[in-house]
Amino acid sequence: MASSLDFYDAEDYLYWTDNEAGTITRIKRDMTQREIVIQGLDSIEGFSIDWIAGNMYWIDATFGVIEVSHLNGSNRYVVVSGSMSKPRNLVVHPYQGVMFWCDWEVPPKIEIAALDGSQRQIFINSSLQLVQDLAIDFEEDKLYWTDARTHTIERINLDGSRREVIISHDVLEKPVSIAVYGDDIYWTEMLKSGGAIFKASKRKEDTISLVQGNLGDSLRDLIIYHKRNSSETNPCYRRCNEGVCENTGKCGSNLCLFQGNGSYTCACSHGELTEDGHSCKPFDAFIMFSRVLKIDSINMFDENNPNAPYPSISNKVHMRNVIGLSFDYEGKRLFYSDIQRGTINSVNFNGENHTVIIEKQGSVEGLAYDPIHRDLYWTSHSDSSLSRINLATENSRPEVVIHLGPDDKPRGIDIDSCA
């Protein structure tokens, strides 16, 4: 079910989120080139596109984070995390380098932050009850929102001044989505006129008119598809062609996140920024752990950084019940055992090049690698043995180092290469 919508007019792409499927999908306006660009999300509660930088933002309410990626789904990065109870709705302002979102916690609030997640602060935290949607008037730099509980549509200047109700509860029943285009505002009503879309002048409340009625109770988001102006003076400006954006610019192929006033931040989806602040490099040390069907990683020295050092590793063919792990740091590869397939495999840290090292080993629960002699050791719960194989020699065969008694069930193992 499509819940949140946005578009990238430079290439005629329409984007939508599906909260039930946990996906973000795009398609051309001529109904060609449909593709899922993001999947595996838990609860998508807001979505907005920065059409100048070629980035898209969304809220994952389950984890209480705001993420960003390139328009093709690459370079996912968490920009805002923590202190979110029930985040909903999201809108970005590419010209000013800011984003707004609401939180249904008590008391409800609307927050603001730069597009890189910095300068986060509460924008409004009074006289809000159930904010359903946010919209920006880019011509007049105003933020609009609907409140289904106060039955109002309000707006405020982006500097926080001149908050006002522009359509009141005398007119509205349950306003949901809202969009601003030209001199008019458009919104959806769940209860009025059988589920409908209305519009009114930004300047005169008494100009309300019905656009389309009897649309039912399945109305969700509302957008006005139109040509958007880009700003080539924006340091994060990127040209896109056939869904692929150029890799030149201030941050190369990495994320460029505008902060306003000519400032920007480069961000690494995985790894950390180099000293020049524009390129990315791998972390020197990190934690990796097995999760049955995948292998994930987390940072060791920055607990406030929710971005993984490497992408999650999964493979439907090779990974069915991953248990033991070890690594070859120089070769940038990981060793893992799969007790359902009875195999020991290797894969690069970045998830590429899955290779079966040895098969038919039963329940291997412990792995250890000797980087000096390039021997891989493992324990087998099935036959109570400790074995090894030399990975420096081609066509090397495994050998049993220790055969334990029938009542022994070896599991973990570690080695001292220098002993």
Side-chain angles (χ1 to χ4, degrees):
M1 178 184 293
S3 48
S4 296
L5 307 172
D6 210 340
F7 63 95
Y8 183 63
D9 67 289
E11 290 201 273
D12 269 352
Y13 268 116
L14 176 66
Y15 287 74
W16 72 92
T17 66
D18 188 322
N19 206 7
E20 294 180 357
T23 57
I24 300 175
T25 307
R26 68 180 179 184
I27 194 171
K28 293 277 192 177
R29 278 204 301 161
D30 63 4
M31 298 296 106
T32 62
Q33 300 184 42
R34 174 172 177 164
E35 63 175 326
I36 295 173
V37 292
I38 295 287
Q39 57 187 340
L41 300 175
D42 277 10
S43 178
I44 316 168
E45 296 295 347
F47 180 74
S48 189
I49 285 178
D50 174 356
W51 63 90
I52 297 177
N55 298 328
M56 57 183 182
Y57 291 75
W58 66 91
I59 294 173
D60 191 325
T62 298
F63 296 100
V65 298
I66 298 176
E67 291 191 68
V68 61
S69 78
H70 285 151
L71 291 175
N72 63 359
S74 64
N75 286 34
R76 281 180 62 176
Y77 180 79
V78 175
V79 288
V80 178
S81 63
S83 300
M84 291 186 188
S85 177
K86 297 179 180 179
R88 298 289 190 277
N89 310 309
L90 176 69
V91 63
V92 303
H93 195 320
Y95 302 132
Q96 290 202 9
V98 296
M99 57 181 160
F100 298 87
W101 69 95
C102 65
D103 196 321
W104 286 1
E105 69 175 3
V106 180
K109 61 185 176 182
I110 296 174
E111 293 193 69
I112 181 175
L115 291 179
D116 67 345
S118 65
Q119 306 170 55
R120 177 182 177 182
Q121 58 184 303
I122 295 174
F123 189 63
I124 302 173
N125 64 350
S126 63
S127 302
L128 299 173
Q129 292 194 32
L130 193 62
V131 177
Q132 290 288 315
D133 198 17
L134 304 170
I136 292 177
D137 180 349
F138 296 102
E139 295 180 1
E140 300 185 4
D141 278 339
K142 295 180 182 292
L143 178 70
Y144 286 71
W145 67 91
T146 58
D147 193 314
R149 195 162 288 162
T150 62
H151 313 290
T152 58
I153 294 177
E154 296 188 61
R155 69 183 173 197
I156 192 173
N157 291 336
L158 296 188
D159 63 6
S161 64
R162 201 177 176 185
R163 176 179 176 178
E164 58 185 332
V165 176
I166 58 169
I167 302 181
S168 66
H169 63 276
D170 297 332
V171 177
L172 302 174
E173 290 189 37
K174 189 179 180 181
V176 184
S177 300
I178 186 171
V180 182
Y181 179 68
D183 290 331
D184 297 316
I185 58 173
Y186 297 76
W187 70 93
T188 60
E189 274 271 10
M190 292 290 288
L191 303 178
K192 206 169 184 178
S193 299
I197 300 173
F198 290 87
K199 82 169 185 176
S201 169
K202 292 189 297 187
R203 312 183 201 290
K204 296 180 180 179
E205 180 180 345
D206 59 3
T207 60
I208 296 174
S209 61
L210 175 67
V211 177
Q212 180 74 54
N214 298 314
L215 296 175
D217 60 2
S218 62
L219 285 172
R220 292 296 182 267
D221 205 4
L222 173 71
I223 58 173
I224 308 296
Y225 194 102
H226 64 283
K227 181 174 177 55
R228 285 168 159 169
N229 296 322
S230 292
S231 173
E232 296 191 21
T233 60
N234 185 315
C236 292
Y237 173 71
R238 299 170 75 224
R239 292 184 180 88
C240 296
N241 181 44
E242 294 302 321
V244 178
C245 300
E246 62 182 10
N247 290 332
T248 59
K250 300 293 185 181
C251 300
S253 62
N254 303 310
L255 288 165
C256 185
L257 309 176
F258 189 43
Q259 297 174 309
N261 298 318
S263 299
Y264 65 94
T265 299
C266 297
C268 303
S269 177
H270 305 286
E272 58 183 337
L273 285 172
T274 57
E275 290 72 17
D276 65 10
H278 294 79
S279 305
C280 297
K281 64 179 181 180
F283 285 100
D284 291 332
F286 49 90
I287 297 171
M288 302 193 86
F289 53 97
S290 56
R291 303 180 67 182
V292 183
L293 295 177
K294 61 182 179 178
I295 299 171
D296 284 330
S297 59
I298 56 176
N299 291 288
M300 290 182 64
F301 307 112
D302 184 2
E303 62 182 16
N304 296 318
N305 183 1
N307 295 288
Y310 280 95
S312 182
I313 300 173
S314 62
N315 186 289
K316 292 182 178 180
V317 174
H318 296 289
M319 302 175 70
R320 297 178 186 173
N321 195 347
V322 177
I323 301 294
L325 295 179
S326 191
F327 65 93
D328 172 12
Y329 188 85
E330 292 299 322
K332 298 291 185 281
R333 61 175 173 167
L334 190 69
F335 303 106
Y336 65 91
S337 65
D338 190 300
I339 61 172
Q340 182 171 327
R341 300 184 71 247
T343 59
I344 299 174
N345 312 276
S346 68
V347 62
N348 294 347
F349 286 168
N350 62 7
E352 297 178 353
N353 194 27
H354 280 266
T355 303
V356 176
I357 296 175
I358 188 168
E359 298 178 297
K360 299 179 181 179
Q361 294 303 302
S363 181
V364 174
E365 298 193 16
L367 291 174
Y369 180 65
D370 174 359
I372 295 178
H373 302 99
R374 297 184 62 186
D375 288 326
L376 181 64
Y377 293 78
W378 66 91
T379 63
S380 176
H381 185 278
S382 303
D383 62 1
S384 303
S385 66
L386 276 69
S387 304
R388 72 179 173 190
I389 188 171
N390 184 263
L391 300 182
T393 306
E394 189 175 355
N395 298 322
S396 177
R397 293 180 175 274
E399 60 175 321
V400 176
V401 180
I402 301 175
H403 214 135
L404 302 172
D407 295 331
D408 294 313
K409 304 297 179 183
R411 298 183 184 273
I413 184 174
D414 204 352
I415 59 173
D416 183 353
S417 301
C418 300

PDB file of all heavy atoms in Angstrom, residues 280-309:
ATOM      1  N   CYS A 280      36.164   8.759   1.642  1.00  0.00           N
ATOM      2  CA  CYS A 280      35.874   7.808   2.709  1.00  0.00           C
ATOM      3  C   CYS A 280      36.950   6.734   2.772  1.00  0.00           C
ATOM      4  O   CYS A 280      37.558   6.390   1.756  1.00  0.00           O
ATOM      5  CB  CYS A 280      34.508   7.151   2.478  1.00  0.00           C
ATOM      6  SG  CYS A 280      33.121   8.309   2.516  1.00  0.00           S
ATOM      7  N   LYS A 281      37.173   6.204   3.946  1.00  0.00           N
ATOM      8  CA  LYS A 281      38.123   5.109   4.151  1.00  0.00           C
ATOM      9  C   LYS A 281      37.523   4.121   5.142  1.00  0.00           C
ATOM     10  O   LYS A 281      36.682   4.483   5.970  1.00  0.00           O
ATOM     11  CB  LYS A 281      39.454   5.637   4.667  1.00  0.00           C
ATOM     12  CG  LYS A 281      39.373   6.287   6.051  1.00  0.00           C
ATOM     13  CD  LYS A 281      40.738   6.765   6.523  1.00  0.00           C
ATOM     14  CE  LYS A 281      40.647   7.393   7.919  1.00  0.00           C
ATOM     15  NZ  LYS A 281      41.964   7.869   8.402  1.00  0.00           N
ATOM     16  N   PRO A 282      37.951   2.846   5.098  1.00  0.00           N
ATOM     17  CA  PRO A 282      37.422   1.849   6.040  1.00  0.00           C
ATOM     18  C   PRO A 282      37.889   2.141   7.468  1.00  0.00           C
ATOM     19  O   PRO A 282      38.940   2.748   7.680  1.00  0.00           O
ATOM     20  CB  PRO A 282      38.016   0.528   5.533  1.00  0.00           C
ATOM     21  CG  PRO A 282      38.478   0.803   4.146  1.00  0.00           C
ATOM     22  CD  PRO A 282      38.854   2.240   4.105  1.00  0.00           C
ATOM     23  N   PHE A 283      37.115   1.693   8.434  1.00  0.00           N
ATOM     24  CA  PHE A 283      37.532   1.770   9.825  1.00  0.00           C
ATOM     25  C   PHE A 283      38.689   0.788  10.064  1.00  0.00           C
ATOM     26  O   PHE A 283      38.748  -0.274   9.443  1.00  0.00           O
ATOM     27  CB  PHE A 283      36.381   1.419  10.764  1.00  0.00           C
ATOM     28  CG  PHE A 283      35.352   2.507  10.900  1.00  0.00           C
ATOM     29  CD1 PHE A 283      34.162   2.455  10.186  1.00  0.00           C
ATOM     30  CD2 PHE A 283      35.572   3.585  11.739  1.00  0.00           C
ATOM     31  CE1 PHE A 283      33.217   3.446  10.313  1.00  0.00           C
ATOM     32  CE2 PHE A 283      34.631   4.585  11.878  1.00  0.00           C
ATOM     33  CZ  PHE A 283      33.452   4.522  11.162  1.00  0.00           C
ATOM     34  N   ASP A 284      39.595   1.146  10.961  1.00  0.00           N
ATOM     35  CA  ASP A 284      40.711   0.259  11.298  1.00  0.00           C
ATOM     36  C   ASP A 284      40.255  -0.938  12.125  1.00  0.00           C
ATOM     37  O   ASP A 284      40.832  -2.023  12.033  1.00  0.00           O
ATOM     38  CB  ASP A 284      41.786   1.031  12.068  1.00  0.00           C
ATOM     39  CG  ASP A 284      42.494   2.056  11.208  1.00  0.00           C
ATOM     40  OD1 ASP A 284      42.569   1.834   9.985  1.00  0.00           O
ATOM     41  OD2 ASP A 284      42.945   3.078  11.749  1.00  0.00           O
ATOM     42  N   ALA A 285      39.232  -0.740  12.957  1.00  0.00           N
ATOM     43  CA  ALA A 285      38.742  -1.825  13.818  1.00  0.00           C
ATOM     44  C   ALA A 285      37.235  -1.678  13.980  1.00  0.00           C
ATOM     45  O   ALA A 285      36.705  -0.560  14.019  1.00  0.00           O
ATOM     46  CB  ALA A 285      39.431  -1.792  15.175  1.00  0.00           C
ATOM     47  N   PHE A 286      36.538  -2.798  14.078  1.00  0.00           N
ATOM     48  CA  PHE A 286      35.081  -2.800  14.203  1.00  0.00           C
ATOM     49  C   PHE A 286      34.635  -4.175  14.671  1.00  0.00           C
ATOM     50  O   PHE A 286      35.427  -5.128  14.698  1.00  0.00           O
ATOM     51  CB  PHE A 286      34.420  -2.446  12.869  1.00  0.00           C
ATOM     52  CG  PHE A 286      34.952  -3.227  11.701  1.00  0.00           C
ATOM     53  CD1 PHE A 286      34.386  -4.431  11.333  1.00  0.00           C
ATOM     54  CD2 PHE A 286      36.039  -2.755  10.976  1.00  0.00           C
ATOM     55  CE1 PHE A 286      34.885  -5.161  10.263  1.00  0.00           C
ATOM     56  CE2 PHE A 286      36.552  -3.469   9.903  1.00  0.00           C
ATOM     57  CZ  PHE A 286      35.976  -4.680   9.556  1.00  0.00           C
ATOM     58  N   ILE A 287      33.392  -4.289  15.056  1.00  0.00           N
ATOM     59  CA  ILE A 287      32.817  -5.551  15.535  1.00  0.00           C
ATOM     60  C   ILE A 287      31.914  -6.130  14.448  1.00  0.00           C
ATOM     61  O   ILE A 287      31.091  -5.418  13.876  1.00  0.00           O
ATOM     62  CB  ILE A 287      31.999  -5.335  16.825  1.00  0.00           C
ATOM     63  CG1 ILE A 287      32.906  -4.836  17.957  1.00  0.00           C
ATOM     64  CG2 ILE A 287      31.292  -6.619  17.242  1.00  0.00           C
ATOM     65  CD1 ILE A 287      32.147  -4.397  19.188  1.00  0.00           C
ATOM     66  N   MET A 288      32.077  -7.435  14.184  1.00  0.00           N
ATOM     67  CA  MET A 288      31.166  -8.140  13.271  1.00  0.00           C
ATOM     68  C   MET A 288      30.531  -9.294  14.028  1.00  0.00           C
ATOM     69  O   MET A 288      31.185  -9.930  14.872  1.00  0.00           O
ATOM     70  CB  MET A 288      31.885  -8.642  12.025  1.00  0.00           C
ATOM     71  CG  MET A 288      32.568  -7.565  11.210  1.00  0.00           C
ATOM     72  SD  MET A 288      33.097  -8.092   9.564  1.00  0.00           S
ATOM     73  CE  MET A 288      31.596  -7.825   8.614  1.00  0.00           C
ATOM     74  N   PHE A 289      29.260  -9.572  13.747  1.00  0.00           N
ATOM     75  CA  PHE A 289      28.567 -10.639  14.464  1.00  0.00           C
ATOM     76  C   PHE A 289      27.570 -11.332  13.543  1.00  0.00           C
ATOM     77  O   PHE A 289      27.018 -10.725  12.622  1.00  0.00           O
ATOM     78  CB  PHE A 289      27.859 -10.088  15.707  1.00  0.00           C
ATOM     79  CG  PHE A 289      26.945  -8.922  15.440  1.00  0.00           C
ATOM     80  CD1 PHE A 289      25.580  -9.108  15.274  1.00  0.00           C
ATOM     81  CD2 PHE A 289      27.452  -7.630  15.362  1.00  0.00           C
ATOM     82  CE1 PHE A 289      24.738  -8.039  15.037  1.00  0.00           C
ATOM     83  CE2 PHE A 289      26.619  -6.547  15.118  1.00  0.00           C
ATOM     84  CZ  PHE A 289      25.258  -6.749  14.962  1.00  0.00           C
ATOM     85  N   SER A 290      27.378 -12.636  13.812  1.00  0.00           N
ATOM     86  CA  SER A 290      26.478 -13.436  12.970  1.00  0.00           C
ATOM     87  C   SER A 290      25.058 -13.390  13.525  1.00  0.00           C
ATOM     88  O   SER A 290      24.855 -13.359  14.743  1.00  0.00           O
ATOM     89  CB  SER A 290      26.966 -14.887  12.899  1.00  0.00           C
ATOM     90  OG  SER A 290      27.084 -15.445  14.188  1.00  0.00           O
ATOM     91  N   ARG A 291      24.093 -13.389  12.592  1.00  0.00           N
ATOM     92  CA  ARG A 291      22.674 -13.332  12.969  1.00  0.00           C
ATOM     93  C   ARG A 291      21.866 -14.349  12.154  1.00  0.00           C
ATOM     94  O   ARG A 291      20.859 -14.016  11.552  1.00  0.00           O
ATOM     95  CB  ARG A 291      22.128 -11.917  12.747  1.00  0.00           C
ATOM     96  CG  ARG A 291      22.898 -10.840  13.509  1.00  0.00           C
ATOM     97  CD  ARG A 291      22.328  -9.462  13.261  1.00  0.00           C
ATOM     98  NE  ARG A 291      20.990  -9.318  13.818  1.00  0.00           N
ATOM     99  CZ  ARG A 291      20.269  -8.198  13.698  1.00  0.00           C
ATOM    100  NH1 ARG A 291      20.748  -7.150  13.036  1.00  0.00           N
ATOM    101  NH2 ARG A 291      19.068  -8.131  14.233  1.00  0.00           N
ATOM    102  N   VAL A 292      22.344 -15.571  12.113  1.00  0.00           N
ATOM    103  CA  VAL A 292      21.699 -16.700  11.432  1.00  0.00           C
ATOM    104  C   VAL A 292      21.717 -16.518   9.910  1.00  0.00           C
ATOM    105  O   VAL A 292      22.398 -17.251   9.193  1.00  0.00           O
ATOM    106  CB  VAL A 292      20.258 -16.931  11.920  1.00  0.00           C
ATOM    107  CG1 VAL A 292      19.655 -18.166  11.227  1.00  0.00           C
ATOM    108  CG2 VAL A 292      20.231 -17.121  13.432  1.00  0.00           C
ATOM    109  N   LEU A 293      20.959 -15.547   9.390  1.00  0.00           N
ATOM    110  CA  LEU A 293      20.862 -15.374   7.947  1.00  0.00           C
ATOM    111  C   LEU A 293      21.722 -14.229   7.410  1.00  0.00           C
ATOM    112  O   LEU A 293      21.749 -13.999   6.205  1.00  0.00           O
ATOM    113  CB  LEU A 293      19.402 -15.129   7.542  1.00  0.00           C
ATOM    114  CG  LEU A 293      18.434 -16.283   7.791  1.00  0.00           C
ATOM    115  CD1 LEU A 293      17.015 -15.882   7.415  1.00  0.00           C
ATOM    116  CD2 LEU A 293      18.848 -17.527   7.002  1.00  0.00           C
ATOM    117  N   LYS A 294      22.404 -13.531   8.299  1.00  0.00           N
ATOM    118  CA  LYS A 294      23.245 -12.424   7.842  1.00  0.00           C
ATOM    119  C   LYS A 294      24.339 -12.136   8.859  1.00  0.00           C
ATOM    120  O   LYS A 294      24.323 -12.644   9.981  1.00  0.00           O
ATOM    121  CB  LYS A 294      22.401 -11.176   7.602  1.00  0.00           C
ATOM    122  CG  LYS A 294      21.666 -10.652   8.818  1.00  0.00           C
ATOM    123  CD  LYS A 294      20.827  -9.432   8.448  1.00  0.00           C
ATOM    124  CE  LYS A 294      20.060  -8.898   9.641  1.00  0.00           C
ATOM    125  NZ  LYS A 294      19.275  -7.688   9.294  1.00  0.00           N
ATOM    126  N   ILE A 295      25.286 -11.324   8.424  1.00  0.00           N
ATOM    127  CA  ILE A 295      26.382 -10.880   9.281  1.00  0.00           C
ATOM    128  C   ILE A 295      26.385  -9.359   9.283  1.00  0.00           C
ATOM    129  O   ILE A 295      26.385  -8.734   8.220  1.00  0.00           O
ATOM    130  CB  ILE A 295      27.736 -11.406   8.773  1.00  0.00           C
ATOM    131  CG1 ILE A 295      27.743 -12.938   8.767  1.00  0.00           C
ATOM    132  CG2 ILE A 295      28.874 -10.872   9.631  1.00  0.00           C
ATOM    133  CD1 ILE A 295      28.956 -13.542   8.084  1.00  0.00           C
ATOM    134  N   ASP A 296      26.359  -8.767  10.467  1.00  0.00           N
ATOM    135  CA  ASP A 296      26.321  -7.319  10.602  1.00  0.00           C
ATOM    136  C   ASP A 296      27.563  -6.818  11.315  1.00  0.00           C
ATOM    137  O   ASP A 296      28.335  -7.587  11.905  1.00  0.00           O
ATOM    138  CB  ASP A 296      25.070  -6.888  11.369  1.00  0.00           C
ATOM    139  CG  ASP A 296      23.822  -6.953  10.509  1.00  0.00           C
ATOM    140  OD1 ASP A 296      23.937  -6.773   9.285  1.00  0.00           O
ATOM    141  OD2 ASP A 296      22.733  -7.194  11.059  1.00  0.00           O
ATOM    142  N   SER A 297      27.740  -5.494  11.273  1.00  0.00           N
ATOM    143  CA  SER A 297      28.890  -4.874  11.931  1.00  0.00           C
ATOM    144  C   SER A 297      28.440  -3.628  12.672  1.00  0.00           C
ATOM    145  O   SER A 297      27.449  -2.985  12.299  1.00  0.00           O
ATOM    146  CB  SER A 297      29.966  -4.518  10.901  1.00  0.00           C
ATOM    147  OG  SER A 297      29.460  -3.618   9.921  1.00  0.00           O
ATOM    148  N   ILE A 298      29.167  -3.272  13.730  1.00  0.00           N
ATOM    149  CA  ILE A 298      28.899  -2.053  14.483  1.00  0.00           C
ATOM    150  C   ILE A 298      30.233  -1.401  14.838  1.00  0.00           C
ATOM    151  O   ILE A 298      31.291  -2.025  14.818  1.00  0.00           O
ATOM    152  CB  ILE A 298      28.094  -2.324  15.780  1.00  0.00           C
ATOM    153  CG1 ILE A 298      28.814  -3.351  16.668  1.00  0.00           C
ATOM    154  CG2 ILE A 298      26.681  -2.775  15.461  1.00  0.00           C
ATOM    155  CD1 ILE A 298      28.130  -3.587  18.001  1.00  0.00           C
ATOM    156  N   ASN A 299      30.156  -0.114  15.164  1.00  0.00           N
ATOM    157  CA  ASN A 299      31.347   0.635  15.528  1.00  0.00           C
ATOM    158  C   ASN A 299      31.812   0.276  16.935  1.00  0.00           C
ATOM    159  O   ASN A 299      31.011   0.011  17.828  1.00  0.00           O
ATOM    160  CB  ASN A 299      31.064   2.135  15.455  1.00  0.00           C
ATOM    161  CG  ASN A 299      30.857   2.604  14.034  1.00  0.00           C
ATOM    162  OD1 ASN A 299      31.801   2.677  13.264  1.00  0.00           O
ATOM    163  ND2 ASN A 299      29.615   2.910  13.677  1.00  0.00           N
ATOM    164  N   MET A 300      33.127   0.301  17.136  1.00  0.00           N
ATOM    165  CA  MET A 300      33.708  -0.027  18.437  1.00  0.00           C
ATOM    166  C   MET A 300      33.896   1.200  19.315  1.00  0.00           C
ATOM    167  O   MET A 300      33.775   1.126  20.533  1.00  0.00           O
ATOM    168  CB  MET A 300      35.069  -0.701  18.262  1.00  0.00           C
ATOM    169  CG  MET A 300      35.011  -2.088  17.691  1.00  0.00           C
ATOM    170  SD  MET A 300      36.652  -2.836  17.556  1.00  0.00           S
ATOM    171  CE  MET A 300      37.124  -2.929  19.285  1.00  0.00           C
ATOM    172  N   PHE A 301      34.221   2.338  18.704  1.00  0.00           N
ATOM    173  CA  PHE A 301      34.676   3.477  19.485  1.00  0.00           C
ATOM    174  C   PHE A 301      33.727   4.666  19.471  1.00  0.00           C
ATOM    175  O   PHE A 301      33.987   5.672  20.124  1.00  0.00           O
ATOM    176  CB  PHE A 301      36.057   3.916  18.982  1.00  0.00           C
ATOM    177  CG  PHE A 301      37.050   2.792  18.934  1.00  0.00           C
ATOM    178  CD1 PHE A 301      37.527   2.313  17.728  1.00  0.00           C
ATOM    179  CD2 PHE A 301      37.485   2.194  20.113  1.00  0.00           C
ATOM    180  CE1 PHE A 301      38.441   1.269  17.685  1.00  0.00           C
ATOM    181  CE2 PHE A 301      38.394   1.139  20.080  1.00  0.00           C
ATOM    182  CZ  PHE A 301      38.873   0.676  18.867  1.00  0.00           C
ATOM    183  N   ASP A 302      32.640   4.572  18.721  1.00  0.00           N
ATOM    184  CA  ASP A 302      31.665   5.662  18.674  1.00  0.00           C
ATOM    185  C   ASP A 302      30.271   5.064  18.802  1.00  0.00           C
ATOM    186  O   ASP A 302      29.625   4.747  17.810  1.00  0.00           O
ATOM    187  CB  ASP A 302      31.811   6.462  17.377  1.00  0.00           C
ATOM    188  CG  ASP A 302      30.886   7.678  17.331  1.00  0.00           C
ATOM    189  OD1 ASP A 302      30.170   7.902  18.335  1.00  0.00           O
ATOM    190  OD2 ASP A 302      30.882   8.385  16.313  1.00  0.00           O
ATOM    191  N   GLU A 303      29.805   4.927  20.031  1.00  0.00           N
ATOM    192  CA  GLU A 303      28.501   4.291  20.267  1.00  0.00           C
ATOM    193  C   GLU A 303      27.344   5.135  19.767  1.00  0.00           C
ATOM    194  O   GLU A 303      26.215   4.642  19.623  1.00  0.00           O
ATOM    195  CB  GLU A 303      28.322   4.013  21.756  1.00  0.00           C
ATOM    196  CG  GLU A 303      28.322   5.254  22.633  1.00  0.00           C
ATOM    197  CD  GLU A 303      28.187   4.925  24.103  1.00  0.00           C
ATOM    198  OE1 GLU A 303      28.404   3.750  24.468  1.00  0.00           O
ATOM    199  OE2 GLU A 303      27.854   5.837  24.870  1.00  0.00           O
ATOM    200  N   ASN A 304      27.601   6.415  19.486  1.00  0.00           N
ATOM    201  CA  ASN A 304      26.545   7.296  18.996  1.00  0.00           C
ATOM    202  C   ASN A 304      26.425   7.283  17.475  1.00  0.00           C
ATOM    203  O   ASN A 304      25.562   7.965  16.915  1.00  0.00           O
ATOM    204  CB  ASN A 304      26.797   8.730  19.470  1.00  0.00           C
ATOM    205  CG  ASN A 304      26.724   8.860  20.973  1.00  0.00           C
ATOM    206  OD1 ASN A 304      25.850   8.276  21.612  1.00  0.00           O
ATOM    207  ND2 ASN A 304      27.656   9.608  21.560  1.00  0.00           N
ATOM    208  N   ASN A 305      27.295   6.529  16.812  1.00  0.00           N
ATOM    209  CA  ASN A 305      27.236   6.426  15.353  1.00  0.00           C
ATOM    210  C   ASN A 305      26.456   5.181  14.963  1.00  0.00           C
ATOM    211  O   ASN A 305      26.961   4.062  15.100  1.00  0.00           O
ATOM    212  CB  ASN A 305      28.649   6.373  14.776  1.00  0.00           C
ATOM    213  CG  ASN A 305      28.660   6.328  13.249  1.00  0.00           C
ATOM    214  OD1 ASN A 305      27.612   6.355  12.609  1.00  0.00           O
ATOM    215  ND2 ASN A 305      29.843   6.257  12.668  1.00  0.00           N
ATOM    216  N   PRO A 306      25.230   5.318  14.466  1.00  0.00           N
ATOM    217  CA  PRO A 306      24.413   4.149  14.147  1.00  0.00           C
ATOM    218  C   PRO A 306      24.719   3.549  12.774  1.00  0.00           C
ATOM    219  O   PRO A 306      24.133   2.539  12.400  1.00  0.00           O
ATOM    220  CB  PRO A 306      22.987   4.717  14.178  1.00  0.00           C
ATOM    221  CG  PRO A 306      23.162   6.139  13.740  1.00  0.00           C
ATOM    222  CD  PRO A 306      24.498   6.583  14.267  1.00  0.00           C
ATOM    223  N   ASN A 307      25.616   4.184  12.007  1.00  0.00           N
ATOM    224  CA  ASN A 307      25.934   3.687  10.669  1.00  0.00           C
ATOM    225  C   ASN A 307      26.978   2.577  10.751  1.00  0.00           C
ATOM    226  O   ASN A 307      28.033   2.738  11.354  1.00  0.00           O
ATOM    227  CB  ASN A 307      26.441   4.836   9.796  1.00  0.00           C
ATOM    228  CG  ASN A 307      25.373   5.878   9.565  1.00  0.00           C
ATOM    229  OD1 ASN A 307      24.422   5.641   8.832  1.00  0.00           O
ATOM    230  ND2 ASN A 307      25.500   7.034  10.204  1.00  0.00           N
ATOM    231  N   ALA A 308      26.667   1.444  10.138  1.00  0.00           N
ATOM    232  CA  ALA A 308      27.534   0.268  10.223  1.00  0.00           C
ATOM    233  C   ALA A 308      28.825   0.490   9.443  1.00  0.00           C
ATOM    234  O   ALA A 308      28.819   1.126   8.387  1.00  0.00           O
ATOM    235  CB  ALA A 308      26.803  -0.954   9.679  1.00  0.00           C
ATOM    236  N   PRO A 309      29.948  -0.053   9.942  1.00  0.00           N
ATOM    237  CA  PRO A 309      31.215   0.057   9.207  1.00  0.00           C
ATOM    238  C   PRO A 309      31.158  -0.571   7.818  1.00  0.00           C
ATOM    239  O   PRO A 309      31.816  -0.096   6.885  1.00  0.00           O
ATOM    240  CB  PRO A 309      32.205  -0.694  10.109  1.00  0.00           C
ATOM    241  CG  PRO A 309      31.624  -0.591  11.478  1.00  0.00           C
ATOM    242  CD  PRO A 309      30.136  -0.648  11.270  1.00  0.00           C
TER     243      PRO A 309
END
